[in-house]
Amino acid sequence: MFYTVKDVAEMLKIPESTVYEYVRNHVIPSFKMGKHVRIRKQDLDECIERLMK
């Protein structure tokens, strides 16, 4: 499953600009499909788990 930046922002209750910053700084692993940023569910789950420690 893949999420958009908007999906992640809504789930984490943070601004989309913050998600883009995390993506840019490689805090959240992501990839591009054309011009669109996508985040794998597994990568997001691992990122959240890593940051919660």
Side-chain angles (χ1 to χ4, degrees):
M1 173 181 259
F2 301 105
Y3 296 125
T4 65
V5 169
K6 183 176 182 177
D7 294 335
V8 174
E10 289 174 359
M11 285 189 304
L12 299 180
K13 298 187 184 341
I14 60 175
E16 288 182 39
S17 60
T18 302
V19 178
Y20 279 115
E21 183 179 333
Y22 290 164
V23 165
R24 197 169 35 255
N25 292 322
H26 306 287
V27 175
I28 299 175
S30 66
F31 64 95
K32 288 186 111 179
M33 292 181 75
K35 294 182 179 182
H36 305 282
V37 174
R38 295 292 184 257
I39 299 162
R40 288 185 341 153
K41 180 185 183 314
Q42 179 181 354
D43 290 339
L44 181 61
D45 292 343
E46 289 173 2
C47 178
I48 291 169
E49 186 174 320
R50 182 179 72 243
L51 293 173
M52 295 296 287
K53 290 183 180 181

